[in-house]
Amino acid sequence: MRVCGEDVVRGKPAPDCYALGAARLGVPARECVAVEDAPAGAEAARVAGRHVVGLTTAFGPGALVAAHTYAASHREVRSALCALGVLPGPGLNPGRGPASMTG
């Protein structure tokens, strides 16, 4: 599932794209995670009630202040998602529940 800026009236940093994504998936915002590499996207995701993983490949943690956690690579994103229980990892239940990544 993908949500684009053209799908909503207000783009990022407004949370509209994240609200639409959750609605399309039929899951509550609190059960969604966003991986964002831009300040406006991280802010939009946080305002929408997401746990935000800030991917620091383009902007550092100082610019991604809305993120809850940070990852310096896609490998670290995977580790963060495993730690959150979104992806299966060592000792985690792979059937934990629905998850969403939009952006």
Side-chain angles (χ1 to χ4, degrees):
M1 191 275 309
R2 185 171 76 176
V3 175
C4 300
E6 297 82 28
D7 295 332
V8 294
V9 174
R10 298 179 309 153
K12 299 173 185 178
D16 302 19
C17 62
Y18 284 101
L20 179 59
R24 285 182 176 174
L25 289 170
V27 294
R30 69 184 176 281
E31 293 183 14
C32 299
V33 174
V35 178
E36 275 289 349
D37 65 351
E43 179 65 25
R46 187 172 188 128
V47 170
R50 304 297 190 277
H51 182 93
V52 182
V53 177
L55 180 59
T56 60
T57 54
F59 295 93
L64 298 172
V65 295
H68 297 93
T69 56
Y70 300 96
S73 68
H74 288 95
R75 182 179 302 266
E76 287 185 18
V77 168
R78 181 170 176 72
S79 294
L81 295 176
C82 288
L84 290 168
V86 174
L87 294 178
L92 295 176
N93 178 1
R96 183 166 182 257
S100 165
M101 289 177 47
T102 62

